Amino acid sequence: DTGVSQNPRHKITKRGQNVTFRCDPISEHNRLYWYRQTLGQGPEFLTYFQNEAQLEKSRLLSDRFSAERPKGSFSTLEIQRTEQGDSAMYLCASSYGTADGYTFGSGTRLTVV
Amino acid sequence: AQSVAQPEDQVNVAEGNPLTVKCTYSVSGNPYLFWYVQYPNRGLQFLLKYITGDNLVKGSYGFEAEFNKSQTSFHLKKPSALVSDSALYFCAVRVGAEGYNNNDMRFGAGTRLTVKP
């Protein structure tokens, strides 16, 4: 297993377009997290899955954001009608248990122009 | 709700000298504390954690951290810094309690460590 994989690495989109990011976690990890990181800030929690169930969703996640994890494997994060304020690094992480450190992917950098 | 503070935006040390990156936390309940490192254009990499037990925990690359409950701190340390340690370091906390299902791990704003030759 090569770790957490995120695609694409970079995405440039025009304001108002929809974008979708993919995350492939470590196969043994049943917990998957999405975070958003802007320049000079630490990662901000967006949402959490345990297997295929989305158990938590931050208030930061507006109705334009949706995440899925079908079959408890990979996950997708979709942003509809993108805005310039959505420009950030979107990080995916996975873990096995609540006391475990997270394994992060390299992130998808979104630029909305 | 839990929070983390990293009071220093930047820490500069000379190679071979000891380094400390500070972290204080606020949490209701027993904390699970973590340190992560981020290299340029990379995701965060787990360094070490405190869950319970010995207050001094050891992690990757020779790093260690000391949990101090009375001062609510979890400072990251290394006896002898390397130039390759230069990176962004994040402290993180989540509530650790039996049966508690809080998966909102809160991160500090990060401290940029620069080790000069």
Side-chain angles (χ1 to χ4, degrees):
Chain A
D1 199 335
T2 56
V4 177
S5 177
Q6 290 188 248
N7 288 288
R9 290 295 301 274
H10 304 275
K11 179 71 177 178
I12 300 174
T13 191
K14 292 183 179 179
R15 188 174 54 184
Q17 297 295 304
N18 299 344
V19 295
T20 300
F21 310 141
R22 177 178 170 124
C23 171
D24 288 89
I26 292 175
S27 55
E28 306 88 71
H29 289 177
N30 59 354
R31 297 165 184 260
L32 186 146
Y33 313 84
W34 284 99
Y35 280 79
R36 180 172 64 189
Q37 185 179 21
T38 52
L39 198 62
Q41 299 297 319
E44 296 174 299
F45 172 78
L46 293 178
T47 191
Y48 155 69
F49 290 85
Q50 185 163 334
N51 300 312
E52 67 276 8
Q54 186 175 19
L55 297 185
E56 276 190 67
K57 194 173 173 181
S58 166
R59 281 171 288 183
L60 290 174
L61 221 60
S62 75
D63 291 343
R64 298 185 295 106
F65 287 72
S66 62
E68 294 182 339
R69 193 184 181 196
K71 303 179 183 178
S73 55
F74 72 92
S75 175
T76 57
L77 177 68
E78 181 183 16
I79 309 174
Q80 296 181 326
R81 305 181 302 282
T82 52
E83 301 172 356
Q84 286 188 323
D86 297 332
S87 296
M89 176 75 86
Y90 289 84
L91 297 169
C92 176
S94 68
S95 74
Y96 185 73
T98 56
D100 291 339
Y102 295 171
T103 301
F104 280 86
S106 296
T108 295
R109 182 170 295 283
L110 173 66
T111 303
V112 182
V113 297
Chain B
Q2 61 269 34
S3 65
V4 171
Q6 293 183 242
E8 301 158 317
D9 293 335
Q10 175 93 29
V11 170
N12 297 314
V13 297
E15 187 174 32
N17 283 0
L19 69 87
T20 300
V21 182
K22 296 179 180 177
C23 171
T24 59
Y25 67 90
S26 173
V27 67
S28 300
N30 295 322
Y32 287 1
L33 293 156
F34 302 82
W35 275 102
Y36 291 83
V37 60
Q38 188 174 32
Y39 297 100
N41 300 314
R42 301 286 299 276
L44 279 73
Q45 184 175 338
F46 169 71
L47 273 181
L48 51 78
K49 66 181 179 182
Y50 171 82
I51 303 300
T52 187
D54 194 348
N55 289 344
L56 184 65
V57 293
K58 295 184 183 296
S60 307
Y61 311 120
F63 283 94
E64 59 189 27
E66 186 168 12
F67 171 63
N68 187 318
K69 188 173 183 178
S70 63
Q71 297 185 3
T72 62
S73 67
F74 189 57
H75 300 332
L76 181 70
K77 300 180 180 183
K78 188 173 182 181
S80 179
L82 300 173
V83 172
S84 57
D85 292 330
S86 298
L88 198 53
Y89 290 82
F90 292 96
C91 183
V93 65
R94 66 189 297 178
V95 175
E98 192 69 31
Y100 193 91
N101 192 33
N102 181 354
N103 297 286
D104 182 358
M105 186 181 290
R106 295 292 181 95
F107 286 81
T111 298
R112 184 166 298 283
L113 173 68
T114 301
V115 181
K116 297 184 178 179

